[in-house]
Amino acid sequence: MALAGAAQPLQRGAQALVLGIKRVSHRWARDLPTVTYRADIHDALVGLATELQRRIDHADQHGNADDLPRLTMVFEEADATLRKLARYWDTIRQKDDPKKSPAVDALNEILFAGRQARIYVLFDGHPTNSALDGAEGRELFSTVVLARVPTSTWDRFAP
């Protein structure tokens, strides 16, 4: 569902980063020259946070990010993926590493500042997921698409 939302920006020349932990969703997107499909979500998010910082530095130097290519990040199965990221971090984290996954911190940063650097997020999940810190990132969910949802979800988003 989320990747379908990237079709229009892709048609207009945008780049897309598809984060899909299952590795089988949207296999057709792998053949598109402007789509990068990643299943190593932790490394992809940390790398995207580095790209975000590069774009912010570019905007500082040039006054804006208008000359940078638009990047649409598609985060498939976000709720399950965030849980898996937390478990993954618990298994690889060293004693002196932060308790919270750097990938989750990176996602929060991307949700907070990404639009200003021409990074847009299509988040296939619940925007109030407890892994997302504070309201900064969650406030950027301007559109909620309800497909097959239980009544409780409908009542919360479309009273």
Side-chain angles (χ1 to χ4, degrees):
M1 175 73 169
L3 188 55
Q8 193 171 32
L10 285 171
Q11 177 65 25
R12 293 182 179 151
Q15 299 171 348
L17 171 63
V18 179
L19 304 181
I21 201 162
K22 292 194 280 185
R23 297 188 303 262
V24 294
S25 300
H26 308 295
R27 293 182 81 66
W28 60 269
R30 294 172 190 244
D31 295 331
L32 298 176
T34 57
V35 174
T36 302
Y37 196 103
R38 300 273 304 264
D40 57 334
I41 310 299
H42 182 273
D43 293 343
L45 285 170
V46 170
L48 188 56
T50 301
E51 173 63 10
L52 172 65
Q53 189 57 56
R54 185 191 72 78
R55 287 170 174 243
I56 290 170
D57 291 345
H58 175 89
D60 282 347
Q61 292 174 356
H62 300 281
N64 60 48
D66 294 347
D67 59 334
L68 295 173
R70 178 182 175 140
L71 173 61
T72 301
M73 181 186 85
V74 179
F75 196 178
E76 287 285 335
E77 302 286 341
D79 296 332
T81 302
L82 285 167
R83 287 190 299 273
K84 287 181 176 286
L85 277 173
R87 286 194 302 268
Y88 172 75
W89 183 244
D90 285 343
T91 63
I92 68 162
R93 142 175 155 18
Q94 301 295 312
K95 181 181 141 206
D96 294 333
D97 288 338
K99 185 168 173 72
K100 186 173 181 187
S101 166
V104 174
D105 282 341
L107 176 60
N108 279 301
E109 205 49 41
I110 293 160
L111 291 173
F112 177 66
R115 284 188 313 172
Q116 288 73 28
R118 297 181 49 89
I119 298 174
Y120 303 91
V121 178
L122 296 174
F123 188 88
D124 178 16
H126 200 284
T128 58
N129 187 303
S130 62
L132 302 177
D133 284 341
E136 296 89 10
R138 289 193 299 253
E139 291 301 317
L140 296 180
F141 290 103
S142 61
T143 304
V144 176
V145 177
L146 300 176
R148 298 173 307 186
V149 297
T151 304
S152 61
T153 301
W154 182 262
D155 289 345
R156 188 170 57 249
F157 289 113

